[in-house]
């Protein structure tokens, strides 16, 4: 039962963040900072805590934050916090799979916009909807 609560909270948070990211091109950090300890606590209560959960959350967030600095904001700092939240909910391997699918989906969308819509380098896409799509895809594959 706790697992469904955890996945439901993470889905609701990602859905909210995707809507905000599409509308305002930013991540609403109070929700992220509220969800990280709740998701971490739920994982600990199910016996899935430890150093790997911390590495999944804060380690992944730190790496993406560093990438944001290096790329001068091409990947936003808010997206780093978003991946810290997903790491707290999904754990290390789940977050790696989520990262992979997110950037794959974003690449396919960017290729579409570049080839079909003739978008230039200045075109910006919000990343949170791709995180939500990847999260939904992972759970859809679990059901099937």
């Amino acid at each position: 039962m706790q697992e469904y609560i955890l996945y439901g909270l993470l889905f609701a948070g990602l859905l909210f963040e995707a809507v905000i990211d599409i509308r305002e091109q930013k991540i609403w950090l109070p929700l992220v900072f509220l969800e990280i300890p709740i998701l971490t606590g739920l994982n600990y209560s199910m016996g899935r805590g430890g150093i790997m959960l911390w590495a999944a959350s804060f380690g992944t967030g730190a790496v993406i934050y560093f990438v944001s600095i290096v790329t001068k904001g091409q990947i936003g700092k808010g997206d780093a916090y978003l991946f810290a939240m997903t790491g707290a909910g999904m754990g290390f391997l789940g977050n790696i799979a989520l990262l992979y699918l997110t950037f794959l989906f974003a690449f396919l969308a960017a290729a579409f916009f570049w080839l079909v819509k003739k978008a230039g380098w200045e075109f910006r896409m919000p990343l949170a909807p791709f995180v939500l799509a990847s999260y939904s895809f992972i759970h859809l594959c679990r059901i099937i």
Side-chain angles (χ1 to χ4, degrees):
M1 181 65 172
Q2 287 179 331
E3 192 166 351
Y4 294 118
I5 293 170
L6 184 138
Y7 292 139
L9 278 173
L10 188 52
F11 178 80
L14 288 174
L15 181 62
F16 181 82
E17 294 293 357
V19 170
I20 296 297
D21 201 13
I22 289 169
R23 287 184 177 178
E24 300 177 19
Q25 297 273 318
K26 67 179 185 175
I27 300 297
W28 196 60
L29 294 180
L31 178 65
V32 172
F33 293 141
L34 178 67
E35 280 213 14
I36 288 175
I38 293 171
L39 297 171
T40 303
L42 282 169
N43 268 318
Y44 267 93
S45 72
M46 292 185 293
R48 295 189 282 184
I51 193 69
M52 291 304 282
L53 185 63
W54 288 99
S57 180
F58 296 110
T60 306
V63 168
I64 301 296
Y65 195 90
F66 177 75
V67 170
S68 175
I69 292 170
V70 169
T71 63
K72 296 179 180 141
Q74 291 298 314
I75 296 174
K77 291 179 177 85
D79 297 324
Y81 293 114
L82 193 65
F83 281 113
M85 182 177 82
T86 59
M90 298 182 70
F92 188 73
L93 294 177
N95 210 27
I96 296 298
L98 185 76
L99 273 164
Y100 173 78
L101 283 174
T102 297
F103 288 112
L104 176 67
F105 290 165
F107 169 76
L108 293 173
F112 171 79
F113 283 117
W114 184 63
L115 293 171
V116 177
K117 300 288 186 175
K118 305 295 184 208
W121 287 108
E122 71 282 347
F123 180 74
R124 299 180 59 91
M125 292 186 314
L127 191 62
F130 296 105
V131 178
L132 175 63
S134 301
Y135 181 77
S136 301
F137 181 78
I138 287 171
H139 285 291
L140 188 64
C141 288
R142 285 184 182 172
I143 293 170
I144 295 173

